Every structure is written in C-alpha cells, then in structure tokens.
Amino acid sequence: NTTTSLIRINGAANVIFDGGGSRNLRIIDSIGLTPSPTVGAAIELLGGCTNVTLRNCIIEGNSSDIFKGTIVFGTGNNSNITLTGNRIRPANASIFNLPANALYSASSSNTRLFIGTSNAADSNMIHDFSNAGISFLAIGDSVNVRNNHFFQSVGVTSHSYVNISSGNGHNISNNSISQVGGISHSGILTGISI
C-alpha cells in the first residue's frame, strides 16, 4: 500500500476488530523488505470515530516517515478508542523492517484513547520501532496507556517509548519498558515523555 492507509475507519461508531484468543487476525501494510516513507498506516482512525475496539490482533507496518505510524489517530473528533491484547510490530516481524512509530497522532481532537486497560491480561505488546512506540505530537485529553509491554530487540538511534506532547488528564501506568540483552543503541533513549 502506498501513502494511504490499508484500513481507514472514517467516522464509524461501534466497530470491533477481534483476532480471538490466538490472535488470528493479522493486518500488515508494507512495501518491500526495508522501511519506506511511502507506506501508509496499517489502520487509520479519522473523521469522528467513536467506540472502536482493536483487540487480539497482530498489526504490522514499515513506514519510515516520522509523521506516520502503524496505527494512526487522524483528523476529526475521534474518541473512546480501545486497543487491547494486540501485538504491534514491524512488517513480517523483521528487525530490518522497522516502522518509525507504532502509534501516531498529530491531532488535538483525539480524546479518550485506551491503550491497554487496568487488567494486565489486556496488555498490548508494542515493539521494534525507530522513532517511538507512541508518538502523540498532538493529542486531546484523557489518554490511558496502561499495562503494556514496550521493547526493542534491535539497536537503533535516539528514540522514545512513549511521547505525549499535549493534552491533560492522562494516565500512564504499569507499563514495562525493556530491551533484549546485549543490544546497544546510539543516541538518547527516552522511556516516557509527557
């Protein structure tokens, strides 16, 4: 897929993507075997989406554009979006195919996002990216990032695991951040920046 998103959820309400207990739903947006700035998001939510749930899915992408992500919260008043039990990773699970960001938002109208829940069994596994696991350059209020596992299994340059640049009333709690032993990075690593 080029530039546009593979799946665009535009203004929809009450939508559920559920891969089941075995994560049998795999959504992949990729071009080639190396990261590319021309790849769109695997999933984009825009146009006033509400009550959308992505759970128990494997979601993969390889856009190297730092203003995109494997999952993008786009324009419009998108709210009550829940991500639980997902594995968000590079295309084809390749450490040579890293996306810049796993999750991305540049709109302050995105509110009440639930990335994981208070139940540790609902955690997302977000791993292997070159810029950020969560890059919310602009976001509204009430972002909840709870009980997720962020990690790197390959060395990269400066990066953040969670970067939330705006909004109020956020709850960032009980997440684990790690890297595979023996991996070295160059540059500055930031765990959580709000």
Side-chain angles (χ1 to χ4, degrees):
N1 187 29
T2 58
T3 61
T4 59
S5 303
L6 180 64
I7 297 174
R8 298 182 87 216
I9 305 170
N10 191 348
N14 305 312
V15 175
I16 298 173
F17 285 79
D18 190 344
S22 298
R23 291 192 183 106
N24 290 323
L25 179 56
R26 181 176 174 209
I27 301 165
I28 179 172
D29 195 9
S30 159
I31 295 176
L33 300 176
T34 58
S36 170
T38 62
V39 176
I43 299 173
E44 181 179 12
L45 299 108
L46 72 159
C49 291
T50 186
N51 299 320
V52 176
T53 300
L54 305 173
R55 68 178 171 230
N56 302 321
C57 299
I58 297 172
I59 305 167
E60 303 178 357
N62 75 335
S63 176
S64 61
D65 187 337
I66 63 168
F67 300 110
K68 293 181 185 174
T70 300
I71 299 174
V72 170
F73 301 95
T75 59
N77 297 315
N78 306 298
S79 65
N80 293 315
I81 312 296
T82 302
L83 279 66
T84 62
N86 300 294
R87 187 162 192 176
I88 304 165
R89 66 186 188 189
N92 301 310
S94 169
I95 61 171
F96 303 108
N97 215 357
L98 303 181
N101 304 303
L103 282 67
Y104 178 80
S105 170
S107 174
S108 60
S109 60
N110 293 314
T111 62
R112 297 187 50 75
L113 304 181
F114 300 91
I115 316 302
T117 70
S118 59
N119 183 352
D122 290 336
S123 68
N124 297 289
M125 187 178 295
I126 301 169
H127 64 95
D128 296 322
F129 39 84
S130 62
N131 185 59
I134 295 178
S135 178
F136 290 166
L137 298 182
I139 196 75
D141 296 337
S142 302
V143 171
N144 293 271
V145 180
R146 303 172 72 185
N147 287 306
N148 299 289
H149 183 191
F150 297 88
F151 70 92
Q152 294 281 30
S153 60
V154 62
V156 294
T157 59
S158 297
H159 65 278
S160 299
Y161 289 91
V162 177
N163 179 24
I164 300 176
S165 298
S166 62
N168 296 297
H170 305 314
N171 180 350
I172 315 300
S173 60
N174 299 322
N175 297 286
S176 69
I177 296 174
S178 63
Q179 67 182 32
V180 174
I183 300 297
S184 61
H185 300 286
S186 60
I188 297 170
L189 305 182
T190 304
I192 298 172
S193 174
I194 299 178

